[in-house]
Amino acid sequence: PFTVMAFDWAGNQVTLEKKILIDNVRPTVNLVTDKTSMYSYENAEIIASASDEGSGLESFKVTINDKEVELNDEGKYIFKTNIAGNYTIKAEAIDKAGNITITTKTINVREDTVKPTVNLSVNRTSASIGNKIIIKSSARDNAELVSFEVTLDGEKIDLIDGQYSFIADKAKDYTVQAIAKDRAGNETIRTSTIKVTEDTTKPTLSLNVNSSNVDYGDYIDISLIANDNVGVESLKLYVD
C-alpha cells in the first residue's frame, strides 16, 4: 500500500491510503475431452473451466480450430462434425492484470470406410423336398453395427443362437440374404441360393432272415434296413 498526505496553509491535513495489487500469477485453466480420436458420426464432450485468485478473470473462451464455441451452464460443449481431420480445442483465460493461460487438446476425427463383416452359410445348396435346411449367419463391425437381418425369400427370419432351420416343402430356388449396416452407413450383403427339387428316388430296402428252412417252433431272426436320399418316413414289416 502507499499513502498520500496533503496539508493546507492552515495546517489541515488529509491522508489517502491506496493498496496496489501486483498480480503476476497466471489464471488456472482446466480442459478435458472424453475422446482424443473418434469417427465422424460420433460426439465428443468437452469440459472447460478457469479461475484466478489474484486480480480476477477478465475473459475466458474456448475455441475449436480458432472458432469460439459456447459452453453450457455446466461448462460443457458437445462437439460433433462429419468432416475428418484434426481439431484443436483451445481454452484461453486472461486475468485483469493481463496474465494469460492457454491450454489445448487435439481430437482426431476420421471417417469409417470399413464395411461390416458378414458370415452366411447353409448346410446344403442342393436339396430335395423334405430335407432340413439349416442357415447360420453372424455379423461384426470395426466400430458399431446399427442393423443386421437375415431374410428367406425376402421375409425376415429370427435367428436363435445364430441359426435358423426349416423343412423344404416346395421345389424351387430359396434365396437367403444377410444384410449388415454400421453407423457410418457402410453396408455388406451376403446371398446364398438353395435349389430344392422333387424327390423321385425310391427308398432302398434290405431284408434278411437267418434261415429259409426251419422247423416248427424255431425262432427266425429278421433284419430290415431302409435308406433314402431324403429320409425314411415309415418302415413296416408284414408276416403272413
Side-chain angles (χ1 to χ4, degrees):
F2 68 91
T3 303
V4 177
M5 302 177 66
F7 302 87
D8 63 13
W9 292 106
N12 298 307
Q13 177 183 330
V14 176
T15 301
L16 178 65
E17 186 176 280
K18 187 72 174 179
K19 291 183 178 181
I20 298 177
L21 175 63
I22 300 176
D23 180 8
N24 56 10
V25 179
R26 293 180 179 182
T28 299
V29 173
N30 295 308
L31 177 62
V32 178
T33 61
D34 66 343
K35 295 182 180 72
T36 56
S37 180
M38 69 182 194
Y39 287 112
S40 55
Y41 54 78
E42 294 181 303
N43 298 335
E45 184 180 72
I46 299 169
I47 302 175
S49 63
S51 62
D52 187 80
E53 296 182 357
S55 57
L57 284 176
E58 178 68 24
S59 66
F60 174 61
K61 67 179 181 180
V62 176
T63 61
I64 300 177
N65 283 0
D66 297 324
K67 182 179 180 180
E68 188 172 355
V69 297
E70 184 177 351
L71 305 178
N72 65 15
D73 293 339
E74 296 178 342
K76 297 180 182 180
Y77 178 79
I78 302 301
F79 170 63
K80 54 185 176 182
T81 180
N82 57 6
I83 301 174
N86 288 323
Y87 290 80
T88 300
I89 318 301
K90 182 168 68 176
E92 178 184 291
I94 304 175
D95 66 15
K96 292 179 181 179
N99 300 303
I100 302 175
T101 300
I102 298 175
T103 301
T104 62
K105 297 282 187 181
T106 300
I107 298 177
N108 174 254
V109 178
R110 62 193 190 279
E111 292 183 0
D112 179 9
T113 59
V114 180
K115 292 185 177 182
T117 299
V118 175
N119 298 310
L120 175 64
S121 66
V122 293
N123 64 328
R124 59 184 76 198
T125 56
S126 180
S128 299
I129 293 177
N131 281 153
K132 183 177 182 179
I133 309 298
I134 301 175
I135 301 168
K136 294 181 179 180
S137 188
S138 63
R140 66 179 187 276
D141 188 66
N142 64 310
E144 179 182 351
L145 286 175
V146 293
S147 66
F148 171 59
E149 71 174 23
V150 180
T151 62
L152 176 61
D153 287 344
E155 297 292 329
K156 183 180 178 181
I157 58 177
D158 295 324
L159 303 181
I160 299 176
D161 294 331
Q163 71 177 40
Y164 175 84
S165 62
F166 70 99
I167 302 299
D169 58 359
K170 293 180 181 179
K172 54 174 284 189
D173 287 348
Y174 290 84
T175 301
V176 183
Q177 194 171 74
I179 306 172
K181 183 182 291 186
D182 65 17
R183 283 188 63 183
N186 301 307
E187 185 177 77
T188 300
I189 300 175
R190 293 283 181 267
T191 302
S192 183
T193 301
I194 306 163
K195 186 175 183 62
V196 177
T197 58
E198 291 186 4
D199 178 16
T200 58
T201 303
K202 294 181 179 181
T204 59
L205 189 63
S206 174
L207 175 64
N208 293 301
V209 294
N210 64 336
S211 176
S212 60
N213 185 15
V214 296
D215 294 327
Y216 180 80
D218 287 344
Y219 287 99
I220 301 174
D221 293 329
I222 301 173
S223 63
L224 185 63
I225 301 173
N227 291 291
D228 189 71
N229 63 314
V230 175
V232 177
E233 177 69 21
S234 64
L235 179 61
K236 296 180 180 179
L237 175 64
Y238 296 92
V239 179
D240 287 340

